[in-house]
Amino acid sequence: MLPRRISGLIKQRRSEGVRRNVSASLVPAFYTDPARSTEHVELPRRRQRSERKPLVTAVNELKRRARSERQSRQVVREITLRPPENGLLVKRLVPVAHEVYNARQVLFGCALRVLDNVPVHVCRVCGEVHVGTVPHLIRTCDVAGSLASKEHSWARGGIEHVLPLVESFHLYDRLGRAVSHEERLLVDRIPAVVELCIQAGVDVPEYPTKRRIFPVYNVAGKMIDFERKFPRDYSNGKDIQTHGFWEKKNSQRCSVSQPFPYADSAQGIATQGMEAWEKLRSGVSKLMTEYIAQTCGFCPEVQVGIKGHRARICQAYKHQMRDGQHAWQEATLDDLVPPVYVWHVPDARSGKPLMNELRRYYGKLPAVVELFSQAGASIDEAYRGMMRGDVTVPELDEEKLVI
């Protein structure tokens, strides 16, 4: 009787011989190539209407921090604060803030130019977005008021569907008190990314902010600020125009960024937009490691700063029990720069719509990435697992042969 190891080698040789005799013509067109196979990335599922966003920090860790802070307040001593908690800027992140601010302007400029060639469609009922000439036929419209067949009712979309605008209250002093409900119409609301860049060191004339020279001290849980409430050139509003936000008459309006030279071809503009998207995402991620932002656990509201505002404008699940107040928690990158995931079109030039029977072979991409990819830009390797790049979509008559 042969040893177990030798018998195993004989079986392996036989199986290899059988595989070598298989003709290559029998391999179907939807065969997955191991050389270009990537790990499939699961997208975050759609939350239920009554479900809260997942917390960045665990509840037990938040309770532990609260207990330690409560114990530290009982001892009258100075607590050392580091930038940006003491009101000063993090100097190493000031160039990153300028890069993010400029990348955002370039991204919107490129998206507006590409939208002239690549159409965007949005469902009138559920709000799903599709990028491409022909809308898809995947029946995923499952909301109140939709058809029984779950088919979408398409309309022409715009840049607000590809790059949704997330706004935040502009704070003159990011360490000051929160915006109250009575002040919700008196304080300007600007894009959250712009507010994050302003707090990180970008100076915008229309939206001034307090730049401290001396740090803020924390003694027994109380913030002690030795600087004046308003700057020395404050003149009680005599030289401020009635429109705009604190825009002085004698001040010269200066642009933060220089005019960006866009490429001549559509493919070049799409490549520039793809690079700006990656710079924006990576830069905001770096800024959020030091500068905190808050988001509501039930609605898309965002407030850049150490605390959320007190405006009672939440209309999400059971907002009556909270009197319209937001359930604030720590924000993530997707809260400030939300990626709208759309179905990826493998061959946009064919003109064929995506079929509902083949939906399990299609991948997804952020809408802005899909927009620039159809205009000719190359897709980064980080999106390969998301777009199912290792799977070849079969034809309808071949789908029943798939194992």
Side-chain angles (χ1 to χ4, degrees), residues 181-197:
H181 181 72
E182 291 73 16
E183 297 173 339
R184 68 188 186 281
L185 301 179
L186 303 178
V187 182
D188 285 358
R189 290 179 63 88
I190 62 177
V193 176
V194 177
E195 176 65 16
L196 181 65
C197 295

Side-chain angles (χ1 to χ4, degrees), residues 107-401:
L107 176 62
F108 275 82
C110 294
L112 286 174
R113 288 166 171 80
V114 173
L115 280 174
D116 297 336
N117 301 324
V118 181
V120 174
H121 303 273
V122 61
C123 180
R124 298 186 182 94
V125 182
C126 67
E128 183 171 337
V129 180
H130 178 75
V131 179
T133 306
V134 182
H136 67 74
L137 302 179
I138 302 176
R139 297 190 290 269
T140 55
C141 188
D142 190 11
V143 295
S146 61
L147 300 176
S149 60
K150 298 183 181 180
E151 296 181 355
H152 294 280
S153 177
W154 297 108
R156 191 64 180 266
I159 190 173
E160 66 275 6
H161 301 103
V162 177
L163 294 171
L165 183 62
V166 179
E167 293 185 335
S168 171
F169 284 109
H170 172 60
L171 304 178
Y172 174 74
D173 185 5
R174 57 187 174 90
L175 296 183
R177 63 181 182 85
V179 178
S180 63
H181 181 72
E182 291 73 16
E183 297 173 339
R184 68 188 186 281
L185 301 179
L186 303 178
V187 182
D188 285 358
R189 290 179 63 88
I190 62 177
V193 176
V194 177
E195 176 65 16
L196 181 65
C197 295
I198 292 176
Q199 293 188 13
V202 177
D203 294 326
V204 181
E206 293 83 358
Y207 306 104
T209 186
K210 186 175 184 179
R211 304 295 185 195
R212 285 182 169 82
I213 303 177
F214 303 100
V216 174
Y217 298 92
N218 189 340
V219 179
K222 295 183 179 180
M223 307 294 290
I224 300 178
D225 189 3
F226 293 98
E227 290 195 3
R228 297 187 178 185
K229 187 176 181 180
F230 296 100
R232 293 185 177 181
D233 59 348
Y234 176 66
S235 57
N236 200 16
K238 295 181 180 180
D239 56 346
I240 297 179
Q241 294 184 0
T242 57
H243 65 278
F245 182 83
W246 280 45
E247 180 183 352
K248 295 186 177 181
K249 297 179 181 178
N250 299 328
S251 63
Q252 297 180 357
R253 296 172 58 90
C254 59
S255 177
V256 177
S257 61
Q258 300 296 331
F260 182 76
Y262 293 98
D264 298 333
S265 61
Q267 183 177 0
I269 295 176
T271 304
Q272 292 176 346
M274 190 75 77
E275 295 175 355
W277 168 256
E278 297 299 334
K279 289 182 180 179
L280 178 67
R281 296 273 297 184
S282 61
V284 172
S285 179
K286 294 178 182 178
L287 294 179
M288 293 185 67
T289 57
E290 297 290 344
Y291 295 91
I292 304 175
Q294 307 292 330
T295 182
C296 180
F298 296 97
C299 74
E301 182 71 14
V302 170
Q303 178 59 52
V304 180
I306 59 176
K307 63 183 75 173
H309 60 76
R310 296 195 298 268
R312 301 187 296 270
I313 54 178
C314 184
Q315 300 293 330
Y317 176 74
K318 289 188 178 180
H319 64 90
Q320 301 89 348
M321 301 179 62
R322 293 177 275 112
D323 195 19
Q325 296 181 359
H326 295 284
W328 295 111
Q329 64 184 44
E330 186 178 353
T332 61
L333 174 62
D334 291 343
D335 294 324
L336 270 71
V337 189
V340 182
Y341 291 104
V342 299
W343 292 100
H344 171 59
V345 182
D347 188 7
R349 299 180 180 179
S350 63
K352 298 180 180 179
L354 303 182
M355 306 302 297
N356 184 67
E357 294 78 5
L358 305 176
R359 57 184 296 180
R360 64 173 179 158
Y361 303 100
Y362 301 133
K364 286 191 175 183
L365 283 177
V368 63
V369 177
E370 178 69 17
L371 177 69
F372 292 142
S373 66
Q374 292 192 18
S378 59
I379 304 177
D380 191 76
E381 291 294 333
Y383 298 103
R384 293 296 178 183
M386 189 183 304
M387 60 184 291
R388 306 291 299 274
D390 59 334
V391 177
T392 302
V393 181
E395 299 293 338
L396 286 177
D397 54 350
E398 297 177 339
E399 200 272 337
K400 61 182 179 181
L401 303 176

